[in-house]
Amino acid sequence: MSVDISQFHQIFFEESFEGLEVMETGLLQLGVGEPDLEAINTIFRAAHSIKGGGGTFGFTAISEFTHVMETLLDEMRAGKRLVTREAVDVLLEGVDRLRGLLGSARDGTAADAEESSATSQRLEHLLKGEAIGAQDSAVTATVPALAPVGWCCLLYTSDAADE
Protein backbone atom coordinates (compact mmCIF):
# COMPACT_ATOMS: atom_id res chain seq x y z
CA MET A 1 0.00 0.00 0.00
CA SER A 2 1.50 3.33 -1.01
CA VAL A 3 0.78 6.56 0.76
CA ASP A 4 0.10 9.73 -1.20
CA ILE A 5 2.33 12.21 0.65
CA SER A 6 0.97 15.13 -1.38
CA GLN A 7 -1.90 15.21 1.10
CA PHE A 8 0.60 16.64 3.59
CA HIS A 9 1.89 19.44 1.35
CA GLN A 10 -0.46 22.06 2.80
CA ILE A 11 0.74 21.33 6.33
CA PHE A 12 4.36 21.48 5.16
CA PHE A 13 3.82 24.89 3.56
CA GLU A 14 1.97 26.27 6.61
CA GLU A 15 4.68 25.08 8.98
CA SER A 16 7.44 26.30 6.67
CA PHE A 17 6.00 29.80 6.44
CA GLU A 18 5.70 29.83 10.24
CA GLY A 19 9.32 28.69 10.41
CA LEU A 20 10.34 31.57 8.16
CA GLU A 21 8.68 33.99 10.57
CA VAL A 22 10.64 32.43 13.43
CA MET A 23 13.87 32.70 11.43
CA GLU A 24 13.24 36.31 10.41
CA THR A 25 12.29 37.42 13.91
CA GLY A 26 15.27 35.64 15.42
CA LEU A 27 17.70 37.09 12.88
CA LEU A 28 16.36 40.61 13.41
CA GLN A 29 16.92 40.26 17.15
CA LEU A 30 20.30 38.56 16.88
CA GLY A 31 23.08 40.67 18.32
CA VAL A 32 26.12 41.07 16.10
CA GLY A 33 29.26 39.82 17.84
CA GLU A 34 27.21 38.60 20.79
CA PRO A 35 26.21 35.04 20.02
CA ASP A 36 22.88 34.16 21.59
CA LEU A 37 23.04 30.37 21.36
CA GLU A 38 19.38 29.93 22.20
CA ALA A 39 18.34 32.30 19.40
CA ILE A 40 20.76 30.71 16.92
CA ASN A 41 19.48 27.24 17.84
CA THR A 42 15.89 28.37 17.31
CA ILE A 43 16.73 29.82 13.89
CA PHE A 44 18.73 26.70 13.00
CA ARG A 45 15.88 24.35 13.99
CA ALA A 46 13.42 26.25 11.82
CA ALA A 47 15.78 26.04 8.83
CA HIS A 48 16.45 22.36 9.56
CA SER A 49 12.71 21.58 9.59
CA ILE A 50 12.14 23.40 6.30
CA LYS A 51 15.10 21.61 4.71
CA GLY A 52 13.95 18.22 5.91
CA GLY A 53 10.36 18.73 4.83
CA GLY A 54 11.48 20.04 1.45
CA GLY A 55 13.57 16.92 0.94
CA THR A 56 10.81 14.61 2.11
CA PHE A 57 8.27 16.07 -0.28
CA GLY A 58 10.65 16.31 -3.24
CA PHE A 59 11.09 20.09 -3.22
CA THR A 60 14.77 19.85 -4.06
CA ALA A 61 15.33 23.57 -4.68
CA ILE A 62 13.95 24.36 -1.21
CA SER A 63 15.99 21.64 0.46
CA GLU A 64 19.25 22.55 -1.28
CA PHE A 65 18.87 26.29 -0.73
CA THR A 66 18.01 25.84 2.94
CA HIS A 67 20.94 23.48 3.42
CA VAL A 68 23.39 26.32 2.68
CA MET A 69 21.64 28.59 5.20
CA GLU A 70 21.56 25.78 7.75
CA THR A 71 25.30 25.17 7.33
CA LEU A 72 26.11 28.81 8.07
CA LEU A 73 23.82 28.77 11.11
CA ASP A 74 25.36 25.50 12.32
CA GLU A 75 28.81 27.06 12.22
CA MET A 76 27.52 30.01 14.25
CA ARG A 77 25.94 27.81 16.89
CA ALA A 78 29.09 25.66 17.11
CA GLY A 79 31.19 28.78 17.72
CA LYS A 80 33.15 28.30 14.49
CA ARG A 81 31.82 31.52 12.99
CA LEU A 82 31.07 34.92 14.46
CA VAL A 83 27.68 36.52 14.09
CA THR A 84 28.38 39.44 11.75
CA ARG A 85 26.13 42.05 10.20
CA GLU A 86 27.06 40.69 6.77
CA ALA A 87 26.05 37.14 7.72
CA VAL A 88 22.77 38.25 9.28
CA ASP A 89 21.93 40.38 6.24
CA VAL A 90 22.59 37.52 3.83
CA LEU A 91 20.62 35.09 6.00
CA LEU A 92 17.72 37.53 6.02
CA GLU A 93 17.98 37.78 2.26
CA GLY A 94 17.91 33.98 2.25
CA VAL A 95 14.68 33.99 4.27
CA ASP A 96 13.13 36.19 1.61
CA ARG A 97 14.36 33.94 -1.21
CA LEU A 98 13.15 30.88 0.66
CA ARG A 99 9.75 32.52 1.06
CA GLY A 100 9.65 32.89 -2.73
CA LEU A 101 10.73 29.29 -3.31
CA LEU A 102 8.05 28.01 -0.94
CA GLY A 103 5.38 30.18 -2.52
CA SER A 104 6.31 28.98 -5.98
CA ALA A 105 6.29 25.33 -4.91
CA ARG A 106 2.94 25.78 -3.17
CA ASP A 107 1.39 27.58 -6.14
CA GLY A 108 3.00 25.41 -8.81
CA THR A 109 4.75 28.37 -10.43
CA ALA A 110 8.33 28.90 -11.50
CA ALA A 111 10.63 30.36 -8.86
CA ASP A 112 13.14 33.10 -9.63
CA ALA A 113 16.15 30.83 -9.98
CA GLU A 114 18.50 33.72 -10.72
CA GLU A 115 17.76 35.52 -7.44
CA SER A 116 17.98 32.30 -5.44
CA SER A 117 21.26 31.42 -7.10
CA ALA A 118 22.74 34.84 -6.37
CA THR A 119 21.78 34.61 -2.69
CA SER A 120 23.06 31.05 -2.48
CA GLN A 121 26.38 32.20 -3.93
CA ARG A 122 26.63 34.95 -1.30
CA LEU A 123 25.99 32.37 1.41
CA GLU A 124 28.65 30.09 -0.09
CA HIS A 125 31.14 32.98 -0.15
CA LEU A 126 30.52 33.55 3.55
CA LEU A 127 31.01 29.85 4.27
CA LYS A 128 34.35 29.99 2.48
CA GLY A 129 35.35 33.04 4.50
CA GLU A 130 35.27 35.30 1.44
CA ALA A 131 33.89 38.80 1.29
CA ILE A 132 30.57 39.06 -0.48
CA GLY A 133 32.11 41.10 -3.28
CA ALA A 134 32.97 44.64 -4.26
CA GLN A 135 29.89 44.91 -6.47
CA ASP A 136 27.52 44.06 -3.61
CA SER A 137 29.42 46.30 -1.18
CA ALA A 138 29.29 49.24 -3.59
CA VAL A 139 25.53 48.92 -3.91
CA THR A 140 25.05 48.71 -0.14
CA ALA A 141 27.34 51.69 0.45
CA THR A 142 25.18 53.95 -1.73
CA VAL A 143 21.89 53.15 0.02
CA PRO A 144 20.86 55.61 2.75
CA ALA A 145 20.18 54.37 6.26
CA LEU A 146 16.64 53.12 6.78
CA ALA A 147 14.65 52.44 9.89
CA PRO A 148 14.48 48.70 10.65
CA VAL A 149 10.93 47.83 9.58
CA GLY A 150 11.66 44.42 8.08
CA TRP A 151 14.71 42.60 6.85
CA CYS A 152 14.73 44.58 3.61
CA CYS A 153 15.35 47.75 5.60
CA LEU A 154 18.40 46.54 7.48
CA LEU A 155 20.88 48.43 5.38
CA TYR A 156 22.63 50.64 7.88
CA THR A 157 25.30 53.22 7.54
CA SER A 158 27.77 53.36 10.39
CA ASP A 159 25.80 56.25 11.96
CA ALA A 160 22.50 54.34 11.88
CA ALA A 161 24.05 51.21 13.37
CA ASP A 162 25.10 53.20 16.45
CA GLU A 163 21.58 54.43 17.19
Side-chain angles (χ1 to χ4, degrees):
M1 170 185 219
S2 69
V3 176
D4 178 17
I5 63 170
S6 67
Q7 65 182 320
F8 301 108
H9 284 183
Q10 183 61 33
I11 294 169
F12 164 71
F13 290 120
E14 288 173 9
E15 289 180 358
S16 293
F17 282 110
E18 288 172 9
L20 288 177
E21 292 300 319
V22 167
M23 290 175 69
E24 186 172 50
T25 300
L27 287 165
L28 289 170
Q29 296 173 352
L30 199 58
V32 173
E34 301 172 17
D36 179 346
L37 292 180
E38 185 175 332
I40 294 170
N41 279 325
T42 299
I43 299 163
F44 174 86
R45 282 191 304 272
H48 185 71
S49 294
I50 294 168
K51 181 192 81 168
T56 299
F57 293 115
F59 301 120
T60 306
I62 292 168
S63 182
E64 290 175 355
F65 184 87
T66 310
H67 176 70
V68 180
M69 295 177 69
E70 180 190 50
T71 302
L72 184 61
L73 289 162
D74 190 41
E75 288 184 4
M76 287 178 179
R77 75 184 188 144
K80 296 178 183 176
R81 176 171 307 278
L82 294 175
V83 176
T84 64
R85 173 57 44 209
E86 182 178 45
V88 171
D89 287 347
V90 177
L91 285 165
L92 284 166
E93 180 182 332
V95 167
D96 192 45
R97 296 294 168 254
L98 193 49
R99 190 173 279 121
L101 288 170
L102 285 161
S104 292
R106 178 196 59 207
D107 301 339
T109 59
D112 189 334
E114 189 175 310
E115 283 186 352
S116 296
S117 177
T119 301
S120 186
Q121 287 176 1
R122 283 191 279 283
L123 288 161
E124 290 284 353
H125 284 298
L126 286 174
L127 285 169
K128 293 176 185 174
E130 301 170 353
I132 296 289
Q135 181 180 2
D136 294 327
S137 298
V139 170
T140 302
T142 62
V143 177
L146 301 172
V149 176
W151 85 263
C152 64
C153 299
L154 282 175
L155 300 173
Y156 295 103
T157 62
S158 59
D159 293 340
D162 295 334
E163 293 177 5

